[in-house]
Amino acid sequence: MGFKKTSEIILILGDQLSPDIAALKTADKSTAILLMCEVAAEATYVRHHQKKVAFIFSAMRHFADELRRAGWTVDYVRLDDHDNSGSFRGEVKRAVKRHGTTNVIVTAPGEWRVLNDMQGWPSKPTILPDDRFLCSTADFADWAEGRKALRMEYFYRDMRRKTGLLMNGDQPEGGQWNYDHDNRKPAKGEQHFPDVPRFAPDAITLEVLALVAERFADHFGDLEPFWFATTRAEAHSALAHFVDHALAGFGDFQDSMLLKEKFLNHAVIGLYINCGLLDPLAVCRVVEAAYRKGQVRLNAAEGFIRQIIGWREYVRGIYWLKMPGYAGNNALEATRPLPDFYWSGNTQMACVRACVQQTREEAYAHHIQRLMVTGNFALLAGVDPHAVHLWYLAVYADAYEWVELPNTMGMSQFADGGLLASKPYAASGAYIHRMSDYCKGCSFDVKAKNGPGACPFNYLYWDFLVRHDARLRGNPRMAQMYRTYDKLSDERKLAIADDARLFLAKL
Ligand code: FAD
Ligand code: DLZ
Ligand code: SF4
């Protein structure tokens, strides 16, 4: 294909699918060549879920069309193109040769791994800051500077002030910053939950599905049925569907889990925000407007907005503040390999089985399934946090290291020693029983504390506390649990140690 004479190559990565991405803002439509490339290295550095690979390729192809319609010249390299070198580095090298310029411009990648590689490219690309976040990496570093402990809640309040979201002057709407005490109700199945909107694959997506089926059949996950939005318009329609049908119940049932309801009142838009199809601030403004119109209550709107301008921005700040060292953290010195059932779902623990099966089908699980079931089990069993991290990065359609790593290493596995979470998210079966309907279909008895039929989370929880006594006993938020353990009879303590040893030996 012939290209016009160019003065600059603008590289757009698969999670930069926004028309107002920094690298496009100053570019000249009449001369710039936009380079997009499907490369095997990005699909296989961890073996991403088949649905995730298909989603990204299809969204990239649709975005290339969107850019062409807007008058840009796009040089799009498909995975199966002859001579595709298979990596960003190789494709930029080939493009430099093809277009006769070494002037390469790119918006900073989301992942340290890619940035580090880019900085060594012979073309020495100009790397522009990614301004799709509300808090720049420099502003986060300033915020963190000199603080004894970093806590999301204080960061979040600053983000509310900065954006004006749910603010009345300098005061939070309703007089409180956080309405979580109204949230987190268990759902018992009698509530109605809307289904997620499902988008029929168009010709572009069908072609991608065939490619993924051919090239990545050995990756985890079901490729079909494929229903994700792959265009900006569809992603907006998914957001509108959430606001109209699910947002009102978002806070209430945010932490519940039901076997037959994979999505409950969750938005299922993380994958669209993270790849650039939805803008995080615009999403929050739509949610705020729904509250201002009286469509939803404050606890729902506030709870949702906090996830985006609070948690999402906060974990990204931590990631760039602490990388590359953060990925090597292992404060609890956990070394167990990841059990096979994280891939097969083949376990008698009904909760873990349900979450893995759902993950295989949908490349999606909601926050509490990730944190309190698969994450909690890995934490209690002492699984190597790096192996846990690679699993989460591979299996979820919304997973990129900048957001997945702090959630996994920090929040879920306490591998950063408490930088991100003030205490480990460890829980016994009672928590899962309270928040879900998984236990009634389980071969284990959630009420039994010890013995072969007892819920493994019950004794593994105490065993975890015992194993990490030296590190965790002094944590004021754990004091009550240690006091409870101390009061258990010697016989019970022995039974806990025996059951945990037997169970873990069989893993
Ligand atoms: P909802 O529950 O509807 O929440 C709305 C939005 O808030 C999400 O789309 C997301 O943009 C944001 N959000 C909510 N919680 C978080 C959080 N803790 N961190 C960052 N953003 C948040 N989120 C990812 O986007 N990518 C990941 O790879 C990822 N890995 C995770 C791994 C673990 C171990 C845990 C415990 C959480 C992880 N999360 C991750 C956070 C959260 O689980 C997902 O953002 C959420 O489940 C996405 O589904 P949703 O769009 O339906 O979100
Ligand atoms: C995740 C992913 C996949 C599977 N494939 C591609 C690809 O072929 N081309 C591309 O530009 N981006 C892809 N991505 C997203 C990148 O991994 C992501 O842009 C980097 O990790 C930086 O965050
Ligand atoms: Fe999970 Fe235990 Fe309940 Fe079984 S009994 S579903 S293992 S919490």
Side-chain angles (χ1 to χ4, degrees):
M1 190 199 297
F3 284 100
K4 65 192 178 192
K5 198 167 161 23
T6 184
S7 55
E8 56 192 13
I9 296 168
I10 297 190
L11 173 64
I12 298 178
L13 305 178
D15 57 353
Q16 298 182 339
L17 310 182
S18 319
D20 51 0
I21 191 93
L24 288 180
K25 279 188 187 143
T26 52
D28 180 349
K29 255 185 204 171
S30 63
T31 56
I33 300 270
L34 312 189
L35 175 67
M36 297 180 70
C37 34
E38 297 169 5
V39 291
E42 291 305 303
T44 54
Y45 74 96
V46 291
R47 288 149 60 90
H48 294 292
H49 193 299
Q50 295 187 44
K51 264 199 175 78
K52 178 181 187 180
V53 179
F55 165 63
I56 291 170
F57 286 4
S58 178
M60 284 175 67
R61 291 184 186 194
H62 282 98
F63 184 57
D65 282 354
E66 182 186 336
L67 290 168
R68 286 191 190 106
R69 282 197 301 276
W72 293 96
T73 303
V74 183
D75 180 5
Y76 192 98
V77 182
R78 291 172 175 230
L79 189 83
D80 50 1
D81 276 355
H82 185 58
D83 291 343
N84 185 328
S85 64
S87 70
F88 287 145
R89 180 186 279 254
E91 282 317 290
V92 168
K93 189 172 164 202
R94 288 202 317 130
V96 161
K97 208 162 156 202
R98 204 159 54 237
H99 300 297
T101 176
T102 53
N103 186 14
V104 178
I105 300 170
V106 60
T107 308
E111 302 190 339
W112 186 88
R113 167 187 69 87
V114 181
L115 178 67
N116 188 43
D117 186 46
M118 246 175 211
Q119 285 166 339
W121 291 354
S123 54
K124 302 208 176 342
T126 305
I127 303 174
L128 303 173
D130 186 353
D131 56 9
R132 292 175 299 165
F133 290 86
L134 301 167
C135 181
S136 70
T137 51
D139 284 353
F140 190 86
D142 283 349
W143 177 83
E145 177 80 34
R147 284 175 194 258
K148 262 207 225 128
L150 304 182
R151 287 295 163 248
M152 197 288 290
E153 185 61 30
Y154 298 111
F155 171 80
Y156 164 59
R157 293 178 190 181
D158 285 352
M159 288 297 106
R160 289 272 295 277
R161 292 187 190 97
K162 183 173 174 179
T163 57
L165 282 161
L166 294 179
M167 295 295 291
N168 285 321
D170 61 355
Q171 290 305 306
E173 177 72 13
Q176 279 171 234
W177 291 102
N178 182 319
Y179 290 86
D180 249 2
H181 58 79
D182 294 339
N183 295 337
R184 302 178 172 168
K185 300 182 178 73
K188 285 298 168 204
E190 62 273 17
Q191 290 86 3
H192 167 74
F193 294 101
D195 196 6
V196 276
R198 292 167 195 270
F199 301 89
D202 64 3
I204 294 178
T205 303
L206 289 174
E207 208 179 340
V208 166
L209 291 175
L211 176 71
V212 173
E214 188 197 323
R215 292 286 296 270
F216 304 108
D218 55 346
H219 284 210
F220 173 79
D222 297 350
L223 180 58
E224 297 192 61
F226 183 92
W227 51 267
F228 292 152
T230 53
T231 65
R232 194 169 316 285
E234 285 176 347
H236 276 279
S237 142
L239 170 64
H241 184 277
F242 163 67
V243 172
D244 290 344
H245 301 286
L247 174 61
F250 177 82
D252 287 353
F253 301 116
Q254 202 177 328
D255 289 5
S256 356
M257 299 173 277
L258 293 174
L259 191 60
K260 293 221 157 62
E261 297 286 347
K262 298 174 187 170
F263 308 103
L264 297 120
N265 285 318
H266 289 274
V268 199
I269 57 167
L271 72 170
Y272 308 135
I273 301 180
N274 293 350
C275 78
L277 290 182
L278 291 178
D279 173 69
L281 184 57
V283 167
C284 292
R285 298 245 181 260
V286 170
V287 168
E288 182 185 34
Y291 163 72
R292 301 266 181 218
K293 279 189 287 190
Q295 203 179 328
V296 301
R297 284 179 296 136
L298 185 53
N299 70 312
E302 187 282 317
F304 182 83
I305 286 172
R306 175 159 24 92
Q307 306 310 312
I308 297 199
I309 67 169
W311 279 113
R312 184 172 184 274
E313 295 283 330
Y314 184 71
V315 297
R316 188 220 181 208
I318 297 269
Y319 177 79
W320 284 107
L321 190 67
K322 296 294 175 186
M323 278 302 278
Y326 199 78
N329 279 328
N330 190 355
L332 299 182
E333 296 173 17
T335 55
R336 187 178 301 284
L338 188 76
D340 280 347
F341 56 70
Y342 275 77
W343 302 107
S344 68
N346 190 6
T347 166
Q348 289 189 305
M349 292 179 284
C351 52
V352 178
R353 187 170 65 229
C355 294
V356 172
Q357 277 176 358
Q358 165 177 338
T359 299
R360 188 168 56 220
E361 286 161 15
E362 310 292 5
Y364 178 84
H366 72 67
H367 188 66
I368 295 302
Q369 294 176 306
R370 298 186 206 195
L371 186 65
M372 300 311 293
V373 179
T374 43
N376 183 21
F377 182 82
L379 175 72
L380 299 185
V383 178
D384 173 0
H386 201 257
V388 183
H389 146 58
L390 294 179
W391 184 78
Y392 281 102
L393 186 58
V395 302
Y396 291 114
D398 54 31
Y400 301 88
E401 195 182 76
W402 65 264
V403 51
E404 176 277 329
L405 188 74
N407 269 298
T408 303
M409 285 273 181
M411 191 186 301
S412 165
Q413 300 301 298
F414 208 69
D416 65 7
L419 179 78
L420 199 124
S422 53
K423 76 174 186 55
Y425 280 94
S428 70
Y431 174 86
I432 296 173
H433 183 47
R434 187 165 70 251
M435 299 312 296
S436 80
D437 64 356
Y438 295 144
C439 300
K440 64 184 182 208
C442 189
S443 358
F444 295 110
D445 178 0
V446 72
K447 297 265 161 60
K449 307 291 182 213
N450 284 105
C455 167
F457 285 84
N458 289 344
Y459 47 78
L460 288 179
Y461 174 76
W462 293 119
D463 189 63
F464 170 81
L465 290 194
V466 173
R467 286 202 314 271
H468 300 296
D469 190 289
R471 175 175 278 273
L472 298 179
R473 187 178 279 273
N475 181 330
R477 298 198 59 202
M478 301 295 285
Q480 176 58 43
M481 297 323 295
Y482 277 100
R483 275 197 294 275
T484 309
Y485 176 79
D486 291 343
K487 284 187 208 142
L488 298 179
S489 67
D490 288 348
E491 193 188 357
R492 173 85 197 281
K493 285 178 183 163
L494 274 177
I496 286 166
D498 278 351
D499 285 342
R501 188 173 38 76
L502 280 173
F503 180 87
L504 292 175
K506 277 195 264 163
L507 261 191

